[in-house]
Amino acid sequence: MSNSETITIYNTLASKSYTEPELLGCALPTLYGGRIEAQHQICNRDELKLILARWQDAEGWYQSRADVGLGMPVNLNELLEGQWHRADQSLHLELRSEQTYSLTLFIQHEESQEQLVRQCYSDQLIFLRPSLKSQNQTLRYRIWWQQAETGPNEGGWRPLLQQFLGLSQHKEQ
């Protein structure tokens, strides 16, 4: 069975989880073929300031020692973590030590017909708490999966990473 066939079969089951909920007892997300690249880097606060300056137009959120906010932080000295998104890229950062940050840049690529489907994704919405809601109600994330190529789980889909995709106006129902 080919990789794309496994996604097709899974998505058939996922659609039945909505039309026939008693079949599985839960709702499954739809999976889409795609490809993601992750680039990791360690930087200090001065380097971080230059990197974040290039992301000023991005949607995102941050957590500092004092609060959680949307957009870009004003005071980098208090920054603990953050995630931003623009176009087909996402930037995730975490404080590792007093002056050291771990950065991951995620770049989503279009999947071509020539490539074997080895990665796929599902989308997820996370509702913001009331104090952060303005015109946006949710954070959008993409959950990436990768197919195992060897070993006892060969052919199985394993969680790979979670990518921040920005803010959404989707409201709770």
Side-chain angles (χ1 to χ4, degrees):
M1 182 179 309
S2 75
N3 300 349
S4 59
E5 286 175 322
T6 64
I7 292 175
T8 302
I9 291 168
Y10 169 88
N11 282 336
T12 300
L13 187 59
S15 69
K16 287 186 183 287
S17 74
Y18 289 95
T19 60
E20 301 174 42
E22 69 284 351
L23 182 67
L24 296 175
C26 66
L28 298 174
T30 301
L31 295 179
Y32 305 93
R35 191 166 67 87
I36 189 87
E37 172 188 356
Q39 299 175 356
H40 305 283
Q41 125 182 37
I42 302 294
C43 69
N44 63 36
R45 194 169 288 138
D46 292 333
E47 294 166 324
L48 179 65
K49 188 175 187 177
L50 297 173
I51 291 167
L52 289 182
R54 296 190 303 257
W55 283 80
Q56 287 297 318
D57 61 337
E59 284 187 323
W61 66 268
Y62 65 91
Q63 179 180 358
S64 68
R65 289 188 176 117
D67 68 343
V68 174
L70 300 178
M72 280 291 168
V74 177
N75 182 0
L76 292 185
N77 294 329
E78 302 289 317
L79 183 60
L80 299 175
E81 68 176 315
Q83 299 180 346
W84 296 272
H85 177 79
R86 68 165 180 233
D88 60 353
Q89 297 184 351
S90 298
L91 179 67
H92 296 201
L93 73 85
E94 292 180 351
L95 179 66
R96 290 293 178 196
S97 66
E98 185 67 27
Q99 295 279 328
T100 305
Y101 288 88
S102 171
L103 295 176
T104 305
L105 176 65
F106 297 111
I107 303 169
Q108 185 171 336
H109 299 282
E110 292 297 319
E111 181 184 34
S112 70
Q113 295 293 7
E114 299 83 45
Q115 294 173 321
L116 287 176
V117 177
R118 293 261 182 236
Q119 295 177 336
C120 63
Y121 63 87
S122 62
D123 289 333
Q124 177 183 46
L125 295 174
I126 298 175
F127 290 93
L128 290 168
R129 65 182 186 210
S131 63
L132 290 176
K133 290 181 181 177
S134 55
Q135 70 272 21
N136 296 299
Q137 303 289 319
T138 61
L139 300 173
R140 294 176 43 234
Y141 280 90
R142 182 156 285 165
I143 311 303
W144 285 88
W145 304 82
Q146 184 162 307
Q147 195 169 40
E149 296 181 36
T150 60
N153 296 318
E154 183 176 351
W157 292 93
R158 312 295 279 171
L160 178 63
L161 59 88
Q162 179 178 351
Q163 175 193 17
F164 178 69
L165 290 180
L167 305 166
S168 168
Q169 295 180 7
H170 187 86
K171 295 186 179 184
E172 291 185 72
Q173 298 175 347

